[in-house]
């Protein structure tokens, strides 16, 4: 093989390797470039004394505004039911003084069998001032098992909320139960 052909083959191999490495490094966690984590299966259950707190339409009306305060923040722990097609927000709450909040949920149904085995995401938000996303987006499986994840590094003296987000099939409803706690 001539040196020109060897050089050409070597150049193609290098370009192919650089492209593969570039894709692996540059591939974002999600479409916004946010870090994405995966909730771990859990057999933990909510506290028996945790109140049931309804989740709210994801319109921001329950959160503090520059001209006053919306609905009062709820204390941790609390339980919730969810039923939505694209997104749903929790009530605002105060994280622990150590800046930690855990969210667990169990997807138990859907309006179409394609929901089973799919995932929804949970985003944690600081509701103080202008809403700011905090920490990673976390994927939760909808396979009937309970999954949980704990966010750390939250602002202990700021109200926070989390959003449940489904970015597949805007017509399929999913539902289930969950709880938020300090551990």
């Amino acid at each position: 093989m001539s040196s020109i052909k060897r050089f050409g083959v070597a150049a193609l191999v290098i370009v192919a390797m650089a492209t593969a490495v570039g894709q692996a490094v540059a591939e974002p966690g999600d479409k916004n470039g946010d870090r994405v984590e995966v909730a771990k299966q859990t057999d933990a259950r909510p506290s028996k004394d945790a109140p049931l707190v309804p989740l709210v339409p994801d319109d921001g009306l329950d959160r503090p505004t520059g001209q006053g305060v919306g609905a009062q923040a709820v204390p941790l722990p609390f339980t919730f039911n969810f039923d939505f097609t694209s997104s749903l927000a929790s009530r605002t709450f105060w994280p622990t003084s150590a800046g930690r909040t855990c969210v667990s949920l169990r997807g138990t149904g859907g309006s179409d069998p394609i929901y089973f085995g799919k995932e929804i995401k949970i985003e944690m938000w600081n509701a103080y001032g202008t809403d700011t996303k905090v920490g990673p987006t976390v994927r939760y499986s909808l396979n009937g098992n309970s999954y949980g994840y704990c966010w750390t590094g939250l602002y202990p003296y700021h109200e926070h909320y989390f959003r449940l987000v489904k970015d597949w099939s805007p017509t399929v409803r999913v539902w289930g139960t969950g709880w938020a706690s300090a551990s």
Side-chain angles (χ1 to χ4, degrees):
M1 187 184 287
S2 75
S3 60
I4 294 176
K5 285 183 182 177
R6 275 188 247 148
F7 176 77
V9 170
L12 285 175
V13 168
I14 290 170
V15 168
M17 288 173 53
T19 301
V21 169
Q23 288 173 345
V25 172
E27 186 171 86
D30 71 1
K31 64 185 173 187
N32 298 322
D34 293 335
R35 193 174 96 222
V36 176
E37 298 284 337
V38 177
K40 304 291 183 213
Q41 190 169 346
T42 181
D43 54 5
R45 294 292 172 252
S47 166
K48 294 176 190 167
D49 300 326
L52 177 63
V53 175
L55 299 187
V56 296
D58 198 6
D59 58 13
L61 295 179
D62 72 315
R63 297 192 278 284
T65 67
Q67 302 179 349
V69 177
Q72 183 176 355
V74 296
L76 293 173
F78 63 87
T79 61
F80 58 90
N81 296 321
F82 63 90
D83 186 338
F84 70 102
T85 56
S86 60
S87 71
L88 190 62
S90 75
R91 289 281 300 278
T92 58
F93 59 88
W94 296 86
T96 67
S97 60
R100 176 183 172 95
T101 298
C102 302
V103 179
S104 299
L105 64 81
R106 179 174 176 246
T108 57
S111 61
D112 187 318
I114 67 165
Y115 89 90
F116 190 83
K118 297 268 190 178
E119 296 175 332
I120 62 173
K121 297 174 183 173
I122 295 184
E123 303 168 340
M124 186 65 66
W125 291 80
N126 177 3
Y128 186 78
T130 58
D131 294 358
T132 307
K133 188 171 174 300
V134 181
T137 299
V138 181
R139 296 185 345 230
Y140 287 73
S141 179
L142 295 175
N143 64 9
N145 295 315
S146 294
Y147 291 87
Y149 183 86
C150 294
W151 281 262
T152 59
L154 304 180
Y155 303 98
Y157 303 106
H158 292 187
E159 289 183 1
H160 287 67
Y161 66 96
F162 55 86
R163 286 181 64 227
L164 286 77
V165 179
K166 181 177 69 61
D167 56 5
W168 50 271
S169 186
T171 59
V172 174
R173 282 181 36 236
V174 293
W175 56 82
T177 59
W179 65 96
S181 65
S183 59

